[in-house]
Amino acid sequence: MMELNLTRVDYVQVGVTSQKTMKLLPAHSKKDPTQKIAVADHSGVLQCFNMKKGNPVHAFKTLPGPLKVTQLELGGPPGGIREKVFVAMGPEVRGFNKKGKQFLGFDTNLTESIKCLHVDGADLFIAGNYIYNHYRDCKDMNYFLSSDKINDLICLPLNRTPEVTPVLACQDRVLRILKDSELLYEVEVPGPPTTLCLFGNDGGDEGEEVLYGTSDGRVGLVQISRLSPSHRWELPNEKRNGGVLALDNYDITGDGILDLIVGRDDGLVEIYGYDETEEPMLKYSNACSESVTSVQGGQVASAGYDEVVCATYAGWVLGLTTEEQHKEAGPGNEVKISQDVQNKMIHLRQELEEIQQKVMKEREKYQYTAQNKKAISAVPHFHINDKYVLNREDASYTLSLELQMAIDNVLLQSDVPIDLLDVDKNSAVVSYSAVDPEQGNFLLATYRCQANTTRLELKIRSIEGQYGTIQAYVTPRLQPKTCQIKQYYIKPLSLHQRTHIFDENRPHNSLKLTGQFSLAEVHSWVSFCIPELPDRTPAGDTVSFNFVSTFLDTQLSCTYRKGEAVFKSDNISTISILKDVLTKEATKKKIRLDITYDINEESIPHTLSLIHPKLEYQLLLAKKVQLIEALKELQVHESDVSFMSPEYQQILQDTDKLQQEYKRQPCHLERLYGMITDLFIDKFKFKGQNVKSKVPLLLEVLDNYDLEALLNFFNTCE
């Protein structure tokens, strides 16, 4: 796989950066093919520099401002050289030429800050959380209100397509293709798209191909024609790497074909080449220690040496270069150090001494101030880059916390039962404290981080029907000691995920609510129950959403309007949870609800058949893990184990793999038992019967699990 050999070189550290805030300017001339780096940060500073003999030489640097830069784009004439720098700051767009002179200061007067920016010739495309605007020569041309959050936007190249075709990447797993101020059509993608990029930097052969990256780590290519979309390929995220934040196309392998560069929020930078079938193949990957917010391919440090330039959340601008940074010599051989390297070493030593002196002075100043009774202690402010995302592959939530400085410890507290799963990338030491569930405290865990850890990733699995709050107390290595609290909500149907497919052929249970409630009220109740719904009430009289359970693959359909809400699901427990929670929410508002439900008896064996393969697999895994110790003991006493059955020999071969998988999924079996128990109780609850006394009998059936016996038990317990 590793055909490339790239070396990391750190160039400069700026302030905290947002997604897509670093670009490489085009080369100045053929004689000097090295490129300048333009980067902007949260302090409002835009700087442009090139590298000379390993040191940054600034072309320009703006003064800090009150607003952070949320995106940086390059602009120029359609099809021409893009060397003008445009930045989005709050509701304003500013333009700078390559010498740093500001030629544009355009206040859009938007009520929300600009999140996404795209420039093509005289056309300016911007988007906030929900609002998209198109300007030409700073005059308003088109406007669109999205039904869900806009994460990124791009426009097909104007010099290659006959019409202006903006593409919005929206949180509800769709790309929205616009024509003027109208929605042309929607393209469904496998996860919430977070970033967009033109394929080959120009949209491919016909200028219609767009690359997308999703928050659950997938990358795909879609062709946007005027009539309908065409999915070309999709890269699954089998290794469960981080979400995609940045994409670029650059020929780093030198084969004459542009490679795909991917930057992820777990610090992974990947380079994909294309095989004969034009499917991407992984050629190289490098792990940085913090989120990669921007990636660009080019030549920066040395002419003739290609490199991938990355910007990280903490502000590091670094290069992964093809230029060798060290020389090897055998024993007795002399290595001559060039004058440039000697000068650099002297410069670094001087810089190190200056920093040490500065630290000494600041430490003395702090000690003096700390002992002064008149001194006032100011709490240092720090920004937390956090992400709380549901993963479909293992039905768990990934909580990632990232700071610009090192994390000392993170205290996690939950008022609902949750499981903390093992994360391979996590090097922190975790310790659990005793809790009292009667006081509403189900978990208290402390993660103590190793030195220089700026990012911590946790995996959490919740139980549907039990809802509440997780609180993370984040303490960085700062003086004076300070802590920030972040809250994350576990919703009643927390393991459900938005989808655009609903199978009408499945046996469904339905729940209908009628009453004196508005569309906004019922939307707030539903978004309280289910994740991935927009905060704003969608436009229109009737609203419809479809969901799929990441744990069981059961489905849920929600259709509601003013005074009426209808829910359909093939899992009776989902309907039961919705009925209980929505009734509770309506009671808080003192709104009377009329509830009718239709229970389909065929949905019970259907749901049990969906649980069956998962339960069978977990029972087999538990059985294999129990046998490992005994088989290992036999292996110690017997030199030859060929007399064992092939099944037992396979268990011995896969010992580490089996134990690792069992460790990775604690309480999985108990969780499945709990779901079957809830299904049993809910079936009879809708009939007005309380069967909790028969639960021990159900557990006996589960201990000697057989699907037919379980179905018979469900049918005979009338």
Side-chain angles (χ1 to χ4, degrees):
M1 184 193 83
M2 299 296 178
E3 297 172 17
L4 279 169
N5 185 21
L6 304 181
T7 312
R8 174 173 169 163
V9 182
D10 291 345
Y11 292 142
V12 71
Q13 188 176 23
V14 297
V16 173
T17 65
S18 291
Q19 194 179 343
K20 293 171 86 168
T21 51
M22 185 275 296
K23 293 280 184 185
L24 296 186
L25 270 66
H28 187 63
S29 65
K30 287 184 180 178
K31 288 182 182 177
D32 182 15
T34 58
Q35 296 169 263
K36 290 189 174 82
I37 300 172
V39 61
D41 58 34
H42 281 200
S43 61
V45 174
L46 165 65
Q47 49 190 301
C48 182
F49 62 91
N50 62 339
M51 300 303 294
K52 285 277 174 74
K53 296 179 180 178
N55 296 314
V57 178
H58 280 82
F60 68 87
K61 184 176 181 180
T62 65
L63 294 170
L67 299 171
K68 67 181 183 183
V69 176
T70 48
Q71 199 160 331
L72 182 151
E73 278 294 325
L74 298 182
I81 298 171
R82 303 169 75 89
E83 56 184 6
K84 291 175 180 172
V85 182
F86 294 85
V87 291
M89 306 172 74
E92 193 179 346
V93 176
R94 294 180 187 174
F96 297 85
N97 65 19
K98 60 183 180 182
K99 293 181 179 177
K101 186 179 179 183
Q102 184 176 337
F103 64 86
L104 176 71
F106 176 47
D107 192 345
T108 60
N109 293 319
L110 288 182
T111 52
E112 51 187 32
S113 293
I114 298 168
K115 269 181 68 179
C116 322
L117 171 71
H118 182 76
V119 183
D120 197 343
D123 290 86
L124 176 65
F125 305 88
I126 60 168
N129 285 323
Y130 295 92
I131 300 166
Y132 152 83
N133 278 84
H134 169 209
Y135 300 93
R136 182 169 291 155
D137 292 322
C138 296
K139 288 177 184 172
D140 203 344
M141 297 294 290
N142 296 301
Y143 163 90
F144 180 76
L145 179 64
S146 174
S147 57
D148 211 326
K149 282 188 178 175
I150 302 168
N151 293 328
D152 199 7
L153 84 89
I154 205 163
C155 183
L156 299 185
L158 300 180
N159 62 320
R160 303 192 64 202
T161 49
E163 294 178 4
V164 177
T165 312
V167 182
L168 308 183
C170 298
Q171 186 64 26
D172 54 353
R173 289 181 165 74
V174 294
L175 305 179
R176 289 188 164 85
I177 317 304
L178 306 182
K179 182 183 179 183
D180 299 330
S181 297
E182 299 297 321
L183 177 66
L184 190 63
Y185 59 80
E186 293 179 345
V187 185
E188 295 169 15
V189 291
T194 47
T195 186
L196 298 172
C197 174
L198 290 173
F199 178 68
N201 298 325
D202 59 359
D205 294 337
E206 296 174 25
E208 295 179 339
E209 292 175 323
V210 174
L211 290 158
Y212 63 83
T214 68
S215 63
D216 56 1
R218 300 165 197 256
V219 180
L221 176 67
V222 65
Q223 185 167 356
I224 310 291
S225 65
R226 294 308 298 169
L227 300 173
S228 62
S230 167
H231 287 274
R232 300 292 295 275
W233 51 257
E234 181 206 318
L235 282 175
N237 187 15
E238 289 164 355
K239 293 185 179 177
R240 294 176 189 167
N241 294 325
V244 179
L245 290 182
L247 296 168
D248 191 35
N249 305 276
Y250 186 77
D251 181 16
I252 193 84
T253 51
D255 59 0
I257 300 167
L258 293 178
D259 302 304
L260 173 63
I261 305 168
V262 180
R264 299 180 182 270
D265 64 12
D266 60 352
L268 206 62
V269 178
E270 295 172 323
I271 296 171
Y272 290 86
Y274 293 95
D275 59 14
E276 291 78 17
T277 59
E278 295 189 1
E279 291 277 323
M281 301 276 290
L282 185 65
K283 300 282 186 186
Y284 175 84
S285 72
N286 180 282
C288 304
S289 57
E290 54 214 32
S291 296
V292 177
T293 52
S294 307
V295 290
Q296 286 271 285
Q299 294 182 18
V300 173
S302 304
Y305 290 99
D306 293 319
E307 60 186 283
V308 177
V309 182
C310 312
T312 69
Y313 166 75
W316 280 107
V317 178
L318 57 102
L320 299 171
T321 178
T322 51
E323 185 180 9
E324 283 192 22
Q325 298 296 310
H326 63 277
K327 292 178 182 176
E328 292 182 4
N333 291 355
E334 283 187 14
V335 178
K336 290 186 178 180
I337 300 174
S338 67
Q339 191 60 44
D340 285 349
V341 175
Q342 287 180 22
N343 292 341
K344 192 175 180 181
M345 287 167 67
I346 293 164
H347 177 72
L348 285 170
R349 284 198 189 102
Q350 287 173 350
E351 203 174 321
L352 193 63
E353 283 175 17
E354 284 172 18
I355 292 168
Q356 285 174 337
Q357 290 291 329
K358 205 172 179 182
V359 168
M360 288 283 288
K361 283 179 185 176
E362 288 296 325
R363 191 172 282 149
E364 286 171 13
K365 187 179 172 183
Y366 177 74
Q367 293 293 340
Y368 172 76
T369 313
Q371 291 165 8
N372 190 344
K373 291 179 182 178
K374 291 180 181 178
I376 299 168
S377 179
V379 176
H381 176 72
F382 58 94
H383 183 265
I384 299 175
N385 181 27
D386 59 340
K387 191 175 108 172
Y388 182 59
V389 177
L390 177 61
N391 305 307
R392 180 159 191 171
E393 282 76 16
D394 57 358
S396 70
Y397 277 90
T398 298
L399 172 61
S400 66
L401 302 161
E402 186 173 13
L403 274 65
Q404 192 182 18
M405 65 287 292
I407 302 171
D408 187 17
N409 64 74
V410 173
L411 176 75
L412 210 65
Q413 184 266 331
S414 172
D415 56 10
V416 283
I418 57 169
D419 297 332
L420 292 178
L421 309 180
D422 275 351
V423 180
D424 296 335
K425 296 174 238 180
N426 191 345
S427 60
V429 178
V430 62
S431 55
Y432 295 90
S433 304
V435 290
D436 185 3
E438 289 180 8
Q439 292 184 352
N441 202 357
F442 284 87
L443 174 81
L444 205 59
T446 307
Y447 286 85
R448 289 178 177 82
C449 298
Q450 294 183 5
N452 301 323
T453 301
T454 58
R455 188 176 187 276
L456 182 67
E457 191 172 293
L458 318 171
K459 265 193 180 297
I460 297 158
R461 183 173 285 150
S462 56
I463 301 168
E464 289 208 323
Q466 306 202 32
Y467 54 98
T469 311
I470 298 173
Q471 297 195 104
Y473 296 77
V474 185
T475 309
R477 292 182 189 269
L478 277 180
Q479 291 295 341
K481 277 285 180 213
T482 184
C483 173
Q484 261 191 49
I485 303 171
K486 285 280 183 180
Q487 283 194 337
Y488 307 95
Y489 296 105
I490 293 175
K491 302 196 175 187
L493 294 174
S494 56
L495 300 180
H496 276 68
Q497 196 175 61
R498 276 282 288 279
T499 183
H500 301 282
I501 303 158
F502 190 78
D503 184 3
E504 292 286 355
N505 297 321
R506 292 190 187 187
H508 288 113
N509 309 286
S510 65
L511 171 71
K512 186 177 180 182
L513 307 176
T514 53
Q516 296 295 314
F517 50 78
S518 66
L519 179 63
E521 281 173 325
V522 69
H523 178 73
S524 71
W525 299 342
V526 176
S527 60
F528 176 79
C529 291
I530 316 171
E532 297 196 4
L533 279 175
D535 300 331
R536 293 169 64 139
T537 307
D541 297 329
T542 304
V543 179
S544 287
F545 294 111
N546 296 324
F547 298 88
V548 64
S549 166
T550 54
F551 198 80
L552 284 185
D553 287 327
T554 56
Q555 55 186 21
L556 167 66
S557 162
C558 310
T559 305
Y560 50 90
R561 60 183 183 196
K562 183 183 176 183
E564 184 183 277
V566 179
F567 305 93
K568 289 194 327 188
S569 176
D570 51 346
N571 185 352
I572 198 170
S573 294
T574 302
I575 293 291
S576 175
I577 291 166
L578 276 169
K579 176 180 168 287
D580 293 346
V581 178
L582 293 173
T583 308
K584 203 172 177 181
E585 288 302 299
T587 308
K588 282 182 191 173
K589 290 277 187 88
K590 297 180 181 175
I591 294 172
R592 183 175 170 275
L593 289 181
D594 291 321
I595 302 169
T596 54
Y597 46 84
D598 180 22
I599 303 305
N600 189 336
E601 289 289 334
E602 289 179 21
S603 70
I604 305 296
H606 164 77
T607 308
L608 288 173
S609 69
L610 289 173
I611 295 173
H612 171 68
K614 292 177 171 62
L615 184 58
E616 209 171 38
Y617 178 80
Q618 288 298 324
L619 285 165
L620 189 63
L621 180 66
K623 184 185 170 186
K624 284 178 179 177
V625 171
Q626 282 175 342
L627 285 169
I628 285 171
E629 285 303 315
L631 291 171
K632 274 190 170 178
E633 204 168 314
L634 263 173
Q635 194 179 25
V636 169
H637 295 295
E638 301 286 340
S639 54
D640 182 22
V641 289
S642 58
F643 66 90
M644 287 187 186
S645 69
E647 185 192 347
Y648 287 170
Q649 288 182 35
Q650 192 65 40
I651 290 171
L652 279 172
Q653 278 180 24
D654 299 340
T655 296
D656 293 339
K657 188 181 169 185
L658 291 168
Q659 286 179 330
Q660 197 174 2
E661 190 172 352
Y662 191 71
K663 188 184 174 187
R664 201 187 293 133
Q665 299 187 342
C667 314
H668 207 104
L669 204 55
E670 290 87 340
R671 186 66 55 84
L672 291 165
Y673 279 7
M675 285 187 167
I676 294 169
T677 307
D678 289 343
L679 196 69
F680 178 67
I681 292 166
D682 291 332
K683 176 189 172 179
F684 292 99
K685 187 173 83 173
F686 279 104
K687 293 182 176 180
Q689 298 174 31
N690 188 342
V691 289
K692 286 186 179 176
S693 59
K694 295 183 180 177
V695 169
L697 294 171
L698 173 64
L699 293 173
E700 279 181 33
V701 174
L702 288 172
D703 283 340
N704 304 295
Y705 176 69
D706 176 69
L707 182 60
E708 287 300 318
L710 184 62
L711 287 168
N712 288 336
F713 181 81
F714 266 76
N715 293 329
T716 53
C717 275
E718 295 290 340

